[in-house]
Amino acid sequence: GQTGSGKTFTIIGETSDGTLSGVLPQSIEYLLSDAASKRTHFPTTITLTMVELYMDSVYDLLHMYDPANAEQGERPDAARGGVNKNRKCEIRQVGTDGAVVVGSVEVILDSWAQAMQIIHTGINERQTHRTLKNNFSSRSHMILTVNVEVEKKRGEIQRSKLVFSDLAGSERVSRSLSQGDRLKEAQHINKSLSSLGDVLHALSSVPKQQHIPYRNSKLTQLLQSSIGGNS
């Protein structure tokens, strides 16, 4: 979608009182409620990771929740400000199922209110800037992953995940008149969205193409397990 079309609002919504929650808060609320109702028989752990893809690099948006930071006296709500303070992560390919992010912090979710506080802390770390087309334009792709781990009988562990991608909007530079860093950001955004379009086209082709160009972009590597295979 174009910049300013409401993608972030769809994912996050207005969560101050929960009346206009997006798909992510609603999903977390349901998962926590379901886990609580079955906790006696099936202990469940729900965790969250948040990363952003900015200028072709992956950064952890929840680095302030790292236990190592807590030992150093860093308060999660005090960590603010820009990509330079965020921890850079690596993408590693795992077999044919996709890529994993190495170096991101995984936070255990205990309640809906706590989850919303964590999410908004991460959002405050995301790269956003004012452009002619949008006063609060996302300049990075944000990937939020909710991991669910259920302990079944006989010690069997069942794992699943939900991936929410809040993509930066496509931008026509001729209309936004972006310059300097904003121009570089727009070029990276448009290039990665184009690569995503190529992958989706390859997946939907009949007959299906033998080669799917996931490796053409870090965005498609991050989303490979969500858009390909058995997803």
Side-chain angles (χ1 to χ4, degrees):
Q2 223 175 358
T3 181
S5 61
K7 297 180 297 299
T8 300
F9 184 79
T10 300
I11 296 292
I12 307 298
E14 291 288 345
T15 57
S16 56
D17 58 2
T19 56
L20 291 175
S21 295
V23 292
L24 174 62
Q26 291 184 49
S27 299
I28 290 177
E29 183 178 25
Y30 173 81
L31 290 172
L32 288 170
S33 176
D34 186 67
S37 66
K38 301 176 181 178
R39 195 175 301 279
T40 302
H41 302 288
F42 302 106
T44 302
T45 302
I46 301 173
T47 62
L48 174 71
T49 63
M50 290 179 64
V51 299
E52 70 172 343
L53 178 60
Y54 175 71
M55 300 277 278
D56 211 35
S57 293
V58 180
Y59 297 92
D60 183 16
L61 296 176
L62 299 181
H63 62 94
M64 69 291 296
Y65 288 96
D66 191 329
N69 292 338
E71 292 175 1
Q72 297 172 8
E74 180 178 336
R75 290 169 43 236
D77 59 354
R80 288 292 304 276
V83 71
N84 292 330
K85 289 188 177 181
N86 290 343
R87 176 184 297 168
K88 196 170 184 178
C89 303
E90 296 181 3
I91 298 178
R92 292 183 185 173
Q93 194 73 21
V94 179
T96 58
D97 295 330
V100 295
V101 177
V102 179
S104 61
V105 174
E106 193 170 1
V107 183
I108 296 176
L109 304 182
D110 298 316
S111 68
W112 187 84
Q114 175 237 18
M116 294 307 100
Q117 179 182 7
I118 292 171
I119 290 170
H120 283 290
T121 299
I123 289 174
N124 286 338
E125 293 288 308
R126 188 182 184 184
Q127 290 296 305
T128 58
H129 289 283
R130 185 176 184 272
T131 68
L132 289 180
K133 304 296 290 184
N134 189 352
N135 287 333
F136 197 73
S137 175
S138 300
R139 311 308 289 171
S140 67
H141 303 303
M142 182 170 64
I143 311 296
L144 306 97
T145 304
V146 180
N147 298 286
V148 182
E149 187 175 286
V150 181
E151 184 178 339
K152 298 286 189 176
K153 295 179 179 179
R154 300 177 183 177
E156 177 187 352
I157 302 296
Q158 185 180 59
R159 295 180 177 88
S160 59
K161 67 178 180 179
L162 289 172
V163 178
F164 299 84
S165 56
D166 181 17
L167 303 181
S170 57
E171 184 176 323
R172 291 190 178 183
V173 177
S174 59
R175 294 185 179 181
S176 65
L177 302 179
S178 297
Q179 298 179 349
D181 288 341
R182 303 294 82 78
L183 175 60
K184 293 178 182 178
E185 292 165 352
Q187 291 171 335
H188 279 282
I189 291 169
N190 291 340
K191 183 179 179 180
S192 60
L193 291 176
S194 177
S195 297
L196 178 59
D198 292 340
V199 167
L200 294 176
H201 174 73
L203 289 170
S204 61
S205 297
V206 180
K208 183 178 177 179
Q209 296 183 18
Q210 292 186 345
H211 173 67
I212 310 298
Y214 290 113
R215 291 178 179 268
N216 286 359
S217 168
K218 288 186 178 179
L219 176 62
T220 49
Q221 290 182 54
L222 289 170
L223 296 179
Q224 180 175 347
S225 64
S226 300
I227 59 179
N230 296 322
S231 61

